[in-house]
Amino acid sequence: MFSLMARHARRHPSLLPLFLFIGSGAVGAGLYLLRLAVFSPDVCWDKKNNPEPWNKLGPTDQYKGALGQNSEVVVLG
């Protein structure tokens, strides 16, 4: 596949920016997904050693919740 892209790029040099932008977009999307998977507190990869990671959140940690303006629990659904 890469040899086909290289052959087309040699024949039509105007396709080089297209290949570069699409490739950099794909790499950026992959890196963003990797960042979400590694650094997001919503993802738990090790359920054996840490079955309930949400219990280890401190008072200064940011997390999403379903609270109203008066700290009343809002039922979603």
Side-chain angles (χ1 to χ4, degrees):
M1 181 167 160
F2 291 114
S3 63
L4 180 66
M5 286 174 41
R7 207 171 355 154
H8 281 294
R10 272 189 243 121
R11 286 186 197 157
H12 307 284
S14 61
L15 291 176
L16 276 175
L18 177 70
F19 290 148
L20 290 176
F21 282 112
I22 289 177
S24 64
V27 168
L31 289 175
Y32 178 68
L33 288 176
L34 182 67
R35 183 184 77 90
L36 285 178
V38 173
F39 296 113
S40 178
D42 299 332
V43 178
C44 179
W45 293 101
D46 188 14
K47 289 189 177 186
K48 185 179 258 186
N49 294 327
N50 193 8
E52 296 177 347
W54 51 88
N55 287 335
K56 293 185 178 181
L57 292 174
T60 59
D61 292 335
Q62 292 183 358
Y63 54 91
K64 294 179 182 177
L67 294 178
Q69 289 181 340
N70 298 328
S71 297
E72 297 173 0
V73 176
V74 176
V75 179
L76 300 175

